[in-house]
Amino acid sequence: MDLSLERIKALLSCLPPYTLPTIHIAGTNGKGSVSSFVASILQASGFTVGRFNSPHLVSVLDSILLNGEPVALDAYNRARRLVEDADSGSDVGATSFELLTATALTLFELAKLDVVVLEVGMGGRADATNAVSDDCVLVSALTAVDLDHQKFLGDTVDRIATEKAGIARKGRPFVVGPQRYPDVLVSVRTAVEEIGAELVYAEPATTRTWDEAVDGPSEPVASGPPSPSLVRTTATARAVSLSLPCFPHPINTQLPLHGDHQLDNLGVAVTIISSLLTDSSSVRRLPFQSNITPSNIAAGVRSTSWAGRLSFHDVPLSRLVPPRNGTEDRNDSLAVLVDGAHNPASASALASYLSQLLQATSVGDSDDVLNLTFIVGLSHSPPKTPSQTLLPLLSFERPTNIKIKVSAAALEFTPVDGMPWVRPVPSSEIREVILDIDREINIWIPGEGERETVGNALVWAHEEQRKHGGKGLVCLAGSLYLVADFYRILIK
């Protein structure tokens, strides 16, 4: 992979100039969540907003959002043809991601949006999204940095951080979120000072006691894994407080995304918003800025969603196999927690959340068993190994109040459209790694003629639950391409 801005800049020079106010976000983990928060807050404040995230989930269309909705197919095709014609006509030879980035920027420009939230694809300095001109970028930001894509970005966190901080712009705010490694902050400070950007440190959002006068009636805490009816209530939302320098009083709202790491991500997002309100260059570029009020910020946070990241779904068995005996009941469905935990840091975050969730779960009788089934699939991405990702996940802290039976299914995700270089780790290799970590885990071995698919793995998980009391949770995790296979089942 040739990481360079030469091709994308040459391509963009042949297209309508991109001129929109832009917020640019890099990071190893959390940049998608931050972009979702920021876009939701801006939409709640009355702005028309474009958002570009990668990789896509079900379709390339869901990587390009206009006001929170995937771009229409006909609009995408028109912009894509314009980009491809420019690429071939000027003999640029752009990569597939460069073509996609140029398509997104062209769509946003043609739509005459107020503001764009742009997520870096990989790295930062040499990423195609960094071809946007300095004049357009209002604020840049960096979420948590960890080891990933070392083959392209460097083999230490400080080198990776330097590469990602390359999106900073002279004279503009550069928001950096909480970091696990001190070396990251040292490298970021050096890079930002060399560029001449203004370094701004984000503080995490803080949790607070639920206040019915502010937050509405509190729902009773459910026993067992959340059902769909609880996903948007107390099982999901947490009461949080946000402190922004631009407002005299804290903003109280509810955080709808799971996991303690989302407190850090929300902190980065609202610090970006605060920078938009206080930086003089942003004030000049952003229309009707006075609409960004505490109440609109609170509403935007509450309405944020981010599919495939600690997302709960209730999957009826009828989606997977025909109804048995013509009847179905509540037990003929699966509670599934879906998360694109594809590297050691995100796997650790998922494991931490699982431990908290299970510790707060009651299954009834003390002799009852809760069945926890992992369905995992990973991308081949050396030097990162499957063991480095699976070890923290499968080593989650077991609760002391209930008995847990752990099972696992290893899968290979389906081929990724337009990305032939993306390959899954063989399922046989994943099974070996799982057993090396924990020999007690019950492993799915598909029967003769049985395909290794998400659907079949879910059916097996359901059957295992029935054998052991019918109470359980499925955790589908790993590559976002596996997550995409799951979502295709939901929408078929």
Side-chain angles (χ1 to χ4, degrees), residues 253-278:
T253 187
Q254 301 84 44
L255 172 59
L257 303 188
H258 290 289
D260 288 344
H261 57 287
Q262 294 297 356
L263 295 169
D264 290 348
N265 293 333
L266 180 54
V268 174
V270 296
T271 304
I272 291 172
I273 297 298
S274 179
S275 296
L276 291 176
L277 293 172
T278 56

Side-chain angles (χ1 to χ4, degrees), residues 74 76-87 103:
D74 58 345
Y76 173 82
N77 287 337
R78 285 196 300 270
R80 182 75 181 203
R81 281 195 296 270
L82 189 65
V83 169
E84 290 179 346
D85 288 347
D87 179 60
T103 301

Side-chain angles (χ1 to χ4, degrees), residues 127-165:
D127 186 75
T129 59
N130 206 33
V132 170
S133 70
D134 290 355
D135 290 341
C136 292
V137 178
L138 304 182
V139 182
S140 304
L142 180 66
T143 62
V145 173
D146 217 298
L147 291 172
D148 208 355
H149 304 298
Q150 295 99 300
K151 182 178 179 181
F152 305 104
L153 305 179
D155 56 3
T156 61
V157 289
D158 56 314
R159 291 180 180 176
I160 293 172
T162 298
E163 190 71 18
K164 292 180 181 294

Side-chain angles (χ1 to χ4, degrees), residues 47-356:
F47 293 89
T48 56
V49 183
R51 192 174 107 211
F52 179 50
N53 298 107
S54 62
H56 65 265
L57 278 181
V58 177
S59 159
V60 68
L61 302 179
D62 61 49
S63 67
I64 304 172
L65 302 181
L66 282 75
N67 297 317
E69 296 295 329
V71 63
L73 179 59
D74 58 345
Y76 173 82
N77 287 337
R78 285 196 300 270
R80 182 75 181 203
R81 281 195 296 270
L82 189 65
V83 169
E84 290 179 346
D85 288 347
D87 179 60
S88 58
S90 301
D91 198 26
V92 173
T95 66
S96 61
F97 184 70
E98 290 164 347
L99 292 171
L100 179 61
T101 302
T103 301
L105 297 178
T106 299
L107 278 162
F108 297 151
E109 185 68 36
L110 294 176
K112 303 186 187 307
L113 300 169
D114 293 325
V115 62
V116 168
V117 182
L118 206 57
E119 178 192 347
V120 167
M122 182 178 68
R125 179 189 59 82
D127 186 75
T129 59
N130 206 33
V132 170
S133 70
D134 290 355
D135 290 341
C136 292
V137 178
L138 304 182
V139 182
S140 304
L142 180 66
T143 62
V145 173
D146 217 298
L147 291 172
D148 208 355
H149 304 298
Q150 295 99 300
K151 182 178 179 181
F152 305 104
L153 305 179
D155 56 3
T156 61
V157 289
D158 56 314
R159 291 180 180 176
I160 293 172
T162 298
E163 190 71 18
K164 292 180 181 294
I167 68 168
R169 306 302 171 111
K170 184 177 180 178
R172 303 294 166 85
F174 183 83
V175 176
V176 59
Q179 300 294 332
R180 175 183 176 187
Y181 304 100
D183 286 352
V184 168
L185 292 176
V186 173
S187 296
V188 168
R189 276 195 298 268
T190 300
V192 170
E193 286 174 3
E194 289 178 355
I195 292 170
E198 175 195 355
L199 189 59
V200 181
Y201 294 98
E203 293 294 330
T206 57
T207 57
R208 57 182 174 81
T209 302
W210 191 274
D211 182 351
E212 291 196 356
V214 174
D215 306 307
S218 60
E219 297 286 343
V221 177
S223 63
S227 67
S229 62
L230 293 176
V231 169
R232 297 179 184 84
T233 56
T234 54
T236 301
R238 284 173 290 173
V240 295
S241 180
L242 313 171
S243 296
L244 281 70
C246 54
F247 295 115
H249 305 292
I251 299 172
N252 291 331
T253 187
Q254 301 84 44
L255 172 59
L257 303 188
H258 290 289
D260 288 344
H261 57 287
Q262 294 297 356
L263 295 169
D264 290 348
N265 293 333
L266 180 54
V268 174
V270 296
T271 304
I272 291 172
I273 297 298
S274 179
S275 296
L276 291 176
L277 293 172
T278 56
D279 180 69
S280 58
S281 58
S282 298
V283 171
R284 289 193 302 270
R285 289 295 311 275
L286 214 54
F288 48 95
Q289 205 170 29
S290 60
N291 284 17
I292 305 178
T293 63
S295 61
N296 285 337
I297 291 172
V301 172
R302 282 195 302 270
S303 60
T304 301
S305 62
W306 189 218
R309 282 76 171 181
L310 290 180
S311 303
F312 280 101
H313 300 276
D314 195 68
V315 182
L317 193 63
S318 60
R319 290 287 183 97
L320 310 173
V321 295
R324 297 172 180 177
N325 302 322
T327 62
E328 284 187 12
D329 58 28
R330 181 63 183 81
N331 292 325
D332 287 321
S333 65
L334 283 170
V336 183
L337 173 63
V338 181
D339 190 65
H342 62 282
N343 56 38
S346 55
S348 294
L350 171 56
S352 175
Y353 177 73
L354 270 175
S355 296
Q356 294 175 23

Side-chain angles (χ1 to χ4, degrees), residues 327-408:
T327 62
E328 284 187 12
D329 58 28
R330 181 63 183 81
N331 292 325
D332 287 321
S333 65
L334 283 170
V336 183
L337 173 63
V338 181
D339 190 65
H342 62 282
N343 56 38
S346 55
S348 294
L350 171 56
S352 175
Y353 177 73
L354 270 175
S355 296
Q356 294 175 23
L357 176 68
L358 295 174
Q359 189 66 43
T361 296
S362 171
V363 295
D365 191 281
S366 60
D367 292 329
D368 284 350
V369 174
L370 189 143
N371 300 275
L372 176 61
T373 304
F374 290 98
I375 299 177
V376 294
L378 301 169
S379 298
H380 178 72
S381 183
K384 180 176 62 180
T385 67
S387 179
Q388 289 171 335
T389 300
L390 294 176
L391 180 59
L393 176 58
L394 299 178
S395 302
F396 71 96
E397 185 178 351
R398 268 57 169 177
T400 57
N401 57 324
I402 56 174
K403 299 174 183 177
I404 302 287
K405 176 178 174 55
V406 180
S407 302

